[in-house]
Amino acid sequence: MTVTVKGRQPADSGAPVVLRAEGLYKSYDRKAVLSGVSVRVHAGEIVGLVGPNGAGKTTFLECVEGIRRPDRGEVEIAGLSRSAGPAAYHLAFGAQLQESSLAERLRVAEAMELFAGFYDDPWDIDDLLEQIGLTEHRRVFYRKLSGGQKRRLTLALALLGRPPVLLLDEPTTGLDPHARLEMWGVLEKLTGSRTAVLLATHDLHEAQSRCHRVYVLDGGRIAADGPVAELLGAAGLSTRLRLPDRPWVRELLSGVPGWTTSRVVAGTYYAYGEHGFAEKAVAALRAHVAAEDTGPGTAGELQQVLAAASTGPTDLEDLYLTRTGTPYEPRHARD
């Protein structure tokens, strides 16, 4: 399956691997944060890393970046491992950290010139400032930049060395919708199909619309990985029914043909199934309401549940709900 991402050609499954992390383990005070995490990114890919707070996303990126040393496991970027030495290894990628700051009285152009000195053949500063939309701010102090301008500047600094791999940790957090779109427009224009991107994000819409593949991380382990559409299909998550949670609802819907799994979140019941499941489930609810002997629940309650029910296609959020937080229980595990 080929995936077309905005601003990029379909992912080439035959492209070389430019980032390889194998079996990373990391613990703090005997608490496991990473438990055998393996990730691969091919040239030209945008790959998303999603998961709950504390799932290990930032720790994983910091192990890849060399900020932290994994307890076990190997990392290789553009054919280089940490054994090549920090000078060579850190030139193989650019990074935008989750939280970063520069000296408040450092001007934009001064920051660019400082970082350009780290590379033998850096991107032309004037050209990059124009591409990133900061030419008019080249003499502005860092402290006077807006949040979006600061994020664009740190992205420009990550791109100065024209790296084959770009590591981004929550690159659009805190940005308003306009600034977020501008950020992605700049990123896709500057990386084209040359640079592989691995980004951690809590924005599931962003991950689904911008990434060729995703890794779902939960409790320090990879819970799922692949193109979103393929993952949804393989899990039987083709359609969703959402309605108020009631014990009798769970029992009724789990018996509908095509049901695959369900979750309860904040008093709402999410039932998932194969194509046609949602329609069958709604029909089962209507039949339950219409029955003379309604069984559990009053007629009024049944009508309220049915009125609040909604159906629709699934997306990455549904995969996230079924793969994180609690063990996944597909139908075959219950039969």
Side-chain angles (χ1 to χ4, degrees):
M1 177 180 179
T2 58
V3 181
T4 301
V5 177
K6 295 177 183 178
R8 292 208 173 197
Q9 295 298 316
D12 182 1
S13 59
V17 174
V18 291
L19 187 156
R20 181 181 64 86
E22 294 288 348
L24 296 193
Y25 287 81
K26 183 66 179 177
S27 297
Y28 301 113
D29 297 326
R30 298 184 180 179
K31 180 181 179 181
V33 179
L34 298 177
S35 301
V37 174
S38 297
V39 169
R40 294 194 175 198
V41 182
H42 297 83
E45 274 192 308
I46 300 180
V47 175
L49 188 64
V50 302
N53 289 327
K57 302 186 298 297
T58 294
T59 296
F60 172 80
L61 286 179
E62 289 178 345
C63 287
V64 171
E65 293 159 350
I67 296 174
R68 300 187 186 277
R69 185 179 293 275
D71 300 331
R72 278 189 288 161
E74 299 179 353
V75 179
E76 188 177 273
I77 300 179
L80 296 174
S81 66
R82 290 176 58 148
S83 63
Y89 182 72
H90 288 130
L91 290 178
F93 65 89
Q96 186 182 51
L97 306 181
Q98 187 178 56
E99 295 183 8
S100 58
S101 183
L102 300 174
E104 290 192 348
R105 293 184 61 81
L106 188 67
R107 301 180 192 274
V108 169
E110 291 172 340
M112 297 287 284
E113 290 166 359
L114 174 65
F115 277 70
F118 300 150
Y119 306 103
D120 293 331
D121 184 27
W123 199 313
D124 180 79
I125 291 175
D126 291 333
D127 177 56
L128 188 50
L129 284 175
E130 182 178 353
Q131 298 276 1
I132 209 86
L134 290 177
T135 297
E136 296 182 359
H137 297 81
R138 60 180 299 123
R139 293 190 55 79
V140 175
F141 290 127
Y142 178 78
R143 63 182 173 87
K144 291 188 175 181
L145 297 176
S146 69
Q149 290 166 345
K150 288 178 178 178
R151 298 301 282 177
R152 275 189 279 164
L153 175 57
T154 55
L155 176 61
L157 297 177
L159 288 167
L160 259 174
R162 306 176 188 272
V165 177
L166 195 59
L167 305 173
L168 308 177
D169 195 354
E170 303 287 350
T172 59
T173 295
L175 301 185
D176 62 47
H178 290 288
R180 185 179 299 114
L181 289 174
E182 288 178 358
M183 183 77 166
W184 271 106
V186 167
L187 176 63
E188 290 170 343
K189 178 176 67 173
L190 294 182
T191 60
S193 59
R194 305 179 304 277
T195 305
V197 179
L198 175 63
L199 74 142
T201 179
H202 281 295
D203 188 327
L204 299 182
H205 172 74
E206 178 177 77
Q208 180 162 355
S209 63
R210 304 290 181 175
C211 298
H212 297 107
R213 295 185 294 117
V214 297
Y215 285 86
V216 181
L217 190 61
D218 185 45
R221 300 179 183 275
I222 298 296
D225 68 273
V228 173
E230 290 185 7
L231 291 174
L232 290 171
L237 305 178
S238 299
T239 185
R240 175 208 319 118
L241 174 62
R242 181 174 55 206
L243 67 169
D245 180 40
R246 300 289 188 276
W248 61 267
V249 167
R250 303 183 196 182
E251 182 177 355
L252 176 66
L253 296 187
S254 63
V256 173
W259 177 92
T260 54
T261 190
S262 59
R263 284 291 182 272
V264 178
V265 181
T268 299
Y269 183 75
Y270 295 81
Y272 299 100
E274 300 167 354
H275 288 293
F277 162 74
E279 292 77 9
K280 295 175 184 176
V282 170
L285 286 169
R286 293 188 185 281
H288 193 64
V289 171
E292 291 184 3
D293 180 12
T294 58
T298 65
E301 181 188 35
L302 298 177
Q303 290 286 2
Q304 290 175 358
V305 168
L306 185 59
S310 64
T311 64
T314 54
D315 55 24
L316 180 56
E317 180 176 284
D318 299 297
L319 182 71
Y320 182 98
L321 288 178
T322 60
R323 287 297 194 270
T324 64
T326 57
Y328 177 59
E329 296 181 3
R331 169 173 286 281
H332 65 75
R334 297 179 48 168
D335 288 347

